[in-house]
Amino acid sequence: MPRRRFGDEPLDHPKWTYREPPSCHIDINVRSPTMSDESWSPPAVLLAVDLVILTLRDSRLSVLLVERGIEPHQGDPALPGGFLQHSCEDLRAAAIRELSEESALDASRLHLEQLGTYGTPDRDPRGRVVSVAYLVIAPALPEPIAGTDAADASWAPAEEILSGARRLAFDHEEIVTDGVERARNKLEHSPLATAFCDRTFTISQLQQVYEAVWGVELDPRNFYRKVQAVPGFIVSAGTERRSTRGRPARLFRAGSRTTLHPPLVRPDPPNPEEEER
Amino acid sequence: MPRRRFGDEPLDHPKWTYREPPSCHIDINVRSPTMSDESWSPPAVLLAVDLVILTLRDSRLSVLLVERGIEPHQGDPALPGGFLQHSCEDLRAAAIRELSEESALDASRLHLEQLGTYGTPDRDPRGRVVSVAYLVIAPALPEPIAGTDAADASWAPAEEILSGARRLAFDHEEIVTDGVERARNKLEHSPLATAFCDRTFTISQLQQVYEAVWGVELDPRNFYRKVQAVPGFIVSAGTERRSTRGRPARLFRAGSRTTLHPPLVRPDPPNPEEEER
DNA sequence: TGAATAGTGTCTATCAGACAATATCAA
DNA sequence: TTGATATTGTCTGATAGACACTATTCA
């Protein structure tokens, strides 16, 4: 089999032959080939993994971007990610691998969950590439993302991407939008906010997470009691204290609950025109 | 290229050569090949689409299952689904196609959303098959699922699958569990419950949805006002009425809101031992 | 008329949000 | 001492759940 550079020209990856070359429009009424059609076999696709890595930088929700080194979209900002390494690599393992390669982050301490799969046929000009996106939540880190393959990784405020002020390669803007939306929702019913914090944190640090991700302002006094009223959300972490200017605050760490009861309801939802009857 | 029957023996679908044959264990510390490694190209995988179709039958949350006609797991119950038809078929379109093929349901009237992607390397003995699962919500239908390819489709109570009383092929039990969990959660914050109902419905029918999916009993009087207090959730559908035995009920249809404010909070969460501090 | 279901009224314990007041640190 | 942040207290209007009661149909 001849060697070829990947990324230079469109892929012709289907190794199976069709009875008729498929015309690439979508017709839901067409009957699919069945297993008894001797000449048909399922088409293969390329599988990629992309990462939406969220963190708080300077009290703003931020996303890790890398500059693409090759075509297509060379030079454009994009999500970190890449193809499966070999055909039997687990999806989550591939996400963890990309995380350590492209961002030098230690996956074992981070929140990582599957976000969604993006498979629009024309999303990658090289051919049929289906991407499984993962959402990663990281605590604020020392400024530079050290020792990465893609040395040109950088944090971008999520708002710049959501507003369209910064354009990303492929369909990565949509993926970021979905990732931020997922994070905003999970803040209400899961302890996800603690994943933005260090192992121990103060209640006001936790509040900053909610304020940055939701884009709202919360009353510190009500927030203080509200989070403590949720059983298993946060637990006291000894008597140590952390101080900047004012009175030192108690330290807490994440509890063991995975769902919050009662939930922390997001205030002031865009509740527009009353349209009920 | 020789023709071969699909499903008879393991696939050797990777068309690219590796520098070293991959050993199929997961090592997150291994460096992946980079684009500058001339001899490496991304591996291809087979992509399938599986459907978790939920409905209410006899006031019970039920899942549509089909009996597998071929190996592996021949004769076992499984989720409806199948491979992409051709390499440029859109994922959602493939889900809609499977829906009409395997269940004869009209996708244009149903709720359909992506659920998750399942890609454990050994989940399919035929080779590397990655499956994108979709969640479908259907209103109660006339008994038989007519005119299907897999004529042996049938509804199974979700509880039988969640409890392990009924085993499914592949990792489909896990997929069903995730689908039911997704539905249970979305009932709180989205109008998903209306997708279980006909175009018009009574409030007590809507209540039955909540009771069946959540597995709880609700007070009809409080439920009655609660749902109407959510702006845009349900809107009155004229003055028509529907009656069985007692007083006829007003009819409603789904409103235009996609999120519910305030949410309908699920009662009595398994709130176990108090573990706070 | 009685059974059954739909819909309304009302009470109460609890909660969310507003905000005053106090505590404890650094400079 | 002052400024800043943390923590506690208290008040008030809204709400969730319990449940009595009325309304409207069919058998």
Side-chain angles (χ1 to χ4, degrees):
Chain A
M1 182 178 297
R3 289 181 176 179
R4 46 184 299 189
R5 285 184 59 100
F6 183 69
D8 294 339
E9 60 275 332
L11 298 173
D12 54 3
H13 46 76
K15 69 178 283 198
W16 312 91
T17 56
Y18 303 99
R19 269 187 303 180
E20 301 172 14
S23 62
C24 272
H25 76 283
I26 290 153
D27 181 349
I28 68 170
N29 292 319
V30 123
R31 281 204 43 194
S32 75
T34 66
M35 284 307 174
S36 55
D37 293 326
E38 291 275 338
S39 56
W40 181 84
S41 285
V45 305
L46 295 184
L47 209 59
V49 167
D50 287 315
L51 302 177
V52 179
I53 308 173
L54 299 180
T55 196
L56 244 57
R57 294 196 62 72
D58 199 22
S59 291
R60 289 195 299 180
L61 183 65
S62 302
V63 186
L64 188 69
L65 300 179
V66 299
E67 185 180 321
R68 281 190 58 80
I70 60 167
E71 289 294 346
H73 299 291
Q74 183 167 9
D76 289 348
L79 293 176
F83 289 104
L84 281 198
Q85 189 173 357
H86 49 263
S87 68
C88 50
E89 185 180 32
D90 181 66
L91 294 179
R92 186 182 172 88
I96 292 173
R97 175 178 53 75
E98 290 291 345
L99 187 60
S100 68
E101 283 176 11
E102 297 223 51
S103 73
L105 293 173
D106 176 14
S108 66
R109 294 204 162 278
L110 303 183
H111 175 92
L112 187 148
E113 67 177 85
Q114 192 184 104
L115 177 59
T117 297
Y118 298 81
T120 307
D122 58 355
R123 63 184 292 280
D124 191 317
R126 290 168 294 188
R128 187 63 195 276
V129 177
V130 171
S131 177
V132 182
Y134 279 81
L135 177 64
V136 177
I137 309 293
L141 304 157
E143 176 62 60
I145 308 292
T148 74
D149 273 11
D152 33 15
S154 63
W155 296 104
E159 190 48 42
E160 290 183 9
I161 298 164
L162 299 186
S163 70
R166 185 186 298 239
R167 313 310 298 259
L168 304 186
F170 305 110
D171 52 3
H172 288 186
E173 287 169 35
E174 179 189 356
I175 300 176
V176 169
T177 301
D178 292 346
V180 171
E181 184 61 22
R182 171 80 64 94
R184 284 177 174 163
N185 287 333
K186 288 199 75 166
L187 242 47
E188 296 193 65
H189 313 282
S190 83
L192 187 69
T194 61
F196 283 95
C197 301
D198 295 326
R199 203 184 63 79
T200 65
F201 50 84
T202 69
I203 290 187
S204 84
Q205 289 173 331
L206 193 63
Q207 180 182 344
Q208 287 175 41
V209 173
Y210 279 90
E211 292 184 328
V213 177
W214 282 348
V216 298
E217 287 207 345
L218 303 173
D219 184 292
R221 301 160 290 189
N222 292 333
F223 183 84
Y224 187 90
R225 271 167 312 171
K226 205 166 179 175
V227 290
Q228 290 194 297
V230 181
F233 183 14
I234 59 176
V235 297
S236 180
T239 54
E240 315 138 76
R241 279 147 187 267
R242 191 179 296 172
S243 178
T244 47
R245 277 181 294 280
R247 171 177 174 175
R250 299 190 201 148
L251 291 180
F252 295 83
R253 55 184 172 75
S256 54
R257 296 271 338 207
T258 56
T259 58
L260 304 186
H261 297 289
L264 296 185
V265 264
R266 180 170 10 174
D268 194 38
N271 202 6
E273 0 64 48
E274 301 294 288
E275 47 170 315
E276 66 179 321
R277 272 278 314 130
Chain B
M1 182 178 296
R3 290 180 175 180
R4 46 184 299 189
R5 283 184 60 97
F6 181 69
D8 293 338
E9 59 276 333
L11 299 173
D12 53 2
H13 45 76
K15 68 179 283 200
W16 313 90
T17 56
Y18 304 98
R19 269 188 301 181
E20 303 172 12
S23 62
C24 273
H25 75 283
I26 291 153
D27 181 350
I28 68 170
N29 292 320
V30 123
R31 282 204 44 193
S32 76
T34 65
M35 285 305 176
S36 55
D37 293 327
E38 292 274 338
S39 56
W40 181 84
S41 286
V45 305
L46 295 183
L47 209 60
V49 167
D50 286 316
L51 302 178
V52 179
I53 308 174
L54 299 181
T55 196
L56 243 57
R57 293 196 63 73
D58 199 22
S59 292
R60 287 194 301 179
L61 183 65
S62 302
V63 186
L64 188 69
L65 300 180
V66 298
E67 186 178 323
R68 281 189 59 79
I70 61 167
E71 289 293 345
H73 299 290
Q74 183 167 10
D76 289 349
L79 293 176
F83 290 103
L84 280 198
Q85 189 173 355
H86 48 263
S87 68
C88 50
E89 186 180 30
D90 181 66
L91 295 179
R92 185 182 175 89
I96 292 173
R97 176 178 53 76
E98 291 291 345
L99 188 61
S100 68
E101 281 176 13
E102 297 224 51
S103 73
L105 293 173
D106 176 13
S108 66
R109 293 203 162 279
L110 303 183
H111 175 93
L112 186 148
E113 67 178 84
Q114 193 184 104
L115 177 59
T117 298
Y118 298 80
T120 305
D122 58 355
R123 64 184 291 279
D124 190 318
R126 289 169 294 189
R128 187 63 195 276
V129 177
V130 171
S131 177
V132 183
Y134 279 80
L135 177 64
V136 178
I137 309 294
L141 304 156
E143 176 62 60
I145 308 291
T148 74
D149 273 10
D152 33 16
S154 64
W155 296 104
E159 190 47 41
E160 290 183 9
I161 298 164
L162 300 186
S163 69
R166 185 186 297 239
R167 314 309 297 260
L168 304 186
F170 304 110
D171 52 2
H172 288 186
E173 288 168 36
E174 180 189 355
I175 300 177
V176 169
T177 301
D178 292 347
V180 171
E181 185 60 24
R182 170 81 63 95
R184 285 177 173 160
N185 286 333
K186 288 198 77 166
L187 242 47
E188 295 194 66
H189 312 283
S190 83
L192 186 68
T194 62
F196 284 94
C197 300
D198 295 326
R199 201 184 63 80
T200 65
F201 50 84
T202 68
I203 289 187
S204 84
Q205 289 173 331
L206 194 63
Q207 180 182 344
Q208 287 175 40
V209 174
Y210 278 90
E211 291 184 328
V213 177
W214 282 347
V216 298
E217 288 207 344
L218 302 173
D219 185 293
R221 300 160 292 187
N222 292 332
F223 183 85
Y224 188 89
R225 272 166 312 171
K226 206 165 178 176
V227 291
Q228 290 194 297
V230 181
F233 182 16
I234 59 176
V235 298
S236 180
T239 55
E240 315 137 75
R241 280 149 185 267
R242 191 179 296 172
S243 178
T244 47
R245 276 181 296 279
R247 169 176 176 175
R250 300 190 200 147
L251 291 181
F252 294 83
R253 55 182 173 76
S256 53
R257 296 271 337 207
T258 57
T259 58
L260 305 186
H261 297 288
L264 297 185
V265 264
R266 181 170 8 175
D268 194 37
N271 201 6
E273 0 64 47
E274 303 293 289
E275 46 170 315
E276 67 179 319
R277 272 279 313 131

